[in-house]
Amino acid sequence: MKNSIAFLFLSLLIFTGCKSEKTVPKKPKLVIGIVIDQMRYDYLIRFSDKYGEDGFKRIIKDGFSLENANYNYIPTYTAVGHTSIYTGTTPENHGIIGNNWYDKYAKKNIYCVDDATYTSVGVDSNGGKKSPHRMQTTTITDQLRLAQNMHGKTISIAIKDRSAVLPGGHTANGAFWLEGKNEGKWITSSYYMNQLPAWVTKFNTSGKAAAYMSKPWNTLYDINTYTESITDNNPFEGKFNGKEEPVFPYDIPTLKEKNGNYEMIKAIPAGNSFTTDFVKAAIVGENLGKSKYTDFLAVSYSSTDYVGHQFGVASKEVEDTYLRLDKDLASLFSFLDTEVGKGNYTLFLTADHAAVQVPAYLQSVKIPAHYLNSKALRTYINSITLKYFKSDKLVENISNLQVFLNKEKIESLQLDATIVAQKIADEVINFDNIYKAVTARTMQTTQFTDGILHKLQKGYNQKFSGDVLLIMMPSALNRSSKTGTSHGSGYSYDTHVPIIFYGNGIKKGTSKKAYTITDIAPTIANLLQIQFPNGTTGLIIDEALK
């Protein structure tokens, strides 16, 4: 009897142990981060009836979708968004405060990834002189490399250089972006390598870029079914050079010569398809997901942003771009299933920012919307300093809605920079379409816990930001053109984006809880059981993880 009980107990232990071991998910062989440039959350809903089952709908159905995810800082620009996604923190820590900004030490405007220390690889131009040196913290891609003693690969791909360089982190094995103009090639920087890999050279000589540019852009489906968008011919859309009206079809072979030749592929849906082709080539060429280590593939789809800027949120061009992107994603997911294997990869999909409806369109339907005159703003600010401090030379630069004071001039006049900044903030609020104005001193001495000033504070970097920070009215753009759209604010139309997790280690479901973009990196780090990026301020989204 005792022997029977002992045998039963041992059998139960063995069975329980085996069952437990099977339920522990292995780490993914490949993590894929997909960032869609300028994707509003509502694009998932607006175009849902026309999406297929294997693109967006597949990862929503079988993955975990956050319905209330937002950016938690200002400014919502491309470089800042990509950096915040991958570092798990905001500009106050990671240091990327714009795509371009005024360097108050060098006294010049700088671009986020320019680096003359390095040379171009794959092209004779300066297009490859880039690096992530201005990003002050690590990324999830860096931490994965460090956790595996620099084993495992990180490959980062985007049409835009900044969207490839920053997600790849400081330790990427390769980051590739598109040189348009007369090239139509994927290139890189000597920061990563001294020559292009054979698979990149083969792709560049395959003729794919020329093939895409030889086809017209017409709607994927009958344009009359695009009822989610406003009329095709309207005054709120920008036009390609050489085309009189912003209407389908677009004769790309004819238009390309007047629109930068291969630069034009960036501004049409074919740019996303071209990116997808290159991503597939990278997976094969780099043998991603094939070793005993976990690899990371960072992908950014940039053409959505170019189309959005030119035609606006409500255009048929934007709708068609997303319907075509849905097919590109379905193709990529199927490719991952075959090449890496279902259950062997984890991905997340999000956006680097969203976008506002064209203000002129909003005005036409009686919704308050505005345009800021930046030249008039500078004149007004100079008039403030002239009135109160007898000089109109106290401002050194105004850019990205930030005022940089001329500290040397202020000191020479024996003025107090803090008082000058506060007077500008007090008075500039009277300028049309400026909604709020605060000084750097306020950012340093006051803790805002919610609202628009909280977001401004998260985007303020004491070392790099200006002396006075401005916020425009809702639905306002800082531009003279009344066609197309842009982004950069802390309002919901710019901050509300999709975040979808899918694959190995991810639950099925949705959440309506509030999350921020900085929660992605720590969630992926926890899934991989590695250290968070060193500036992380986001939290683990534990309800998305098995």
Side-chain angles (χ1 to χ4, degrees), residues 208-221 226 240 243 247-256 264-265 267-271 273 317 320-321 324:
K208 284 183 177 290
Y212 278 118
M213 294 300 289
S214 69
K215 302 173 184 177
W217 175 21
N218 208 339
T219 52
L220 183 63
Y221 306 116
Y226 284 26
F240 285 119
K243 189 165 174 67
V247 296
F248 285 102
Y250 293 92
D251 186 355
I252 304 304
T254 300
L255 292 171
K256 66 180 182 180
M264 194 176 188
I265 198 171
I268 59 177
S273 302
E317 286 82 358
D320 193 69
T321 297
R324 290 178 179 277

Side-chain angles (χ1 to χ4, degrees), residues 10-11 40 56 164 169 178 309 315 369-370 380 399 426 433 435 468 543:
L10 181 61
S11 299
R40 291 163 53 116
F56 288 116
L178 186 67
H309 276 295
S315 66
H370 316 274
Y380 187 80
S399 54
D426 290 343
N433 302 323
Y435 200 42
V468 181
E543 62 176 318

Side-chain angles (χ1 to χ4, degrees), residues 129-143:
K129 292 184 175 182
K130 314 292 177 186
S131 86
H133 74 289
R134 289 193 172 94
M135 181 168 58
Q136 303 301 314
T137 60
T138 63
T139 60
I140 183 64
T141 45
D142 287 327
Q143 296 301 152

Side-chain angles (χ1 to χ4, degrees), residues 378-395:
R378 183 177 184 97
T379 299
Y380 187 80
I381 291 175
N382 284 338
S383 74
I384 294 170
T385 63
L386 183 63
K387 177 180 179 180
Y388 290 97
F389 305 105
K390 312 303 180 185
S391 174
D392 60 358
K393 308 296 182 185
L394 304 188
V395 172

Side-chain angles (χ1 to χ4, degrees), residues 298-323:
V299 180
S300 183
Y301 284 103
S302 306
S303 294
T304 44
D305 184 67
Y306 288 97
V307 175
H309 276 295
Q310 181 165 342
F311 296 102
V313 169
S315 66
K316 295 192 186 303
E317 286 82 358
V318 160
E319 179 169 358
D320 193 69
T321 297
Y322 276 88
L323 298 183

Side-chain angles (χ1 to χ4, degrees), residues 479-496:
R479 64 194 297 180
S480 57
S481 172
K482 301 296 177 67
T483 63
T485 190
S486 195
H487 46 84
S489 81
Y491 298 112
S492 61
Y493 51 76
D494 279 338
T495 66
H496 190 198

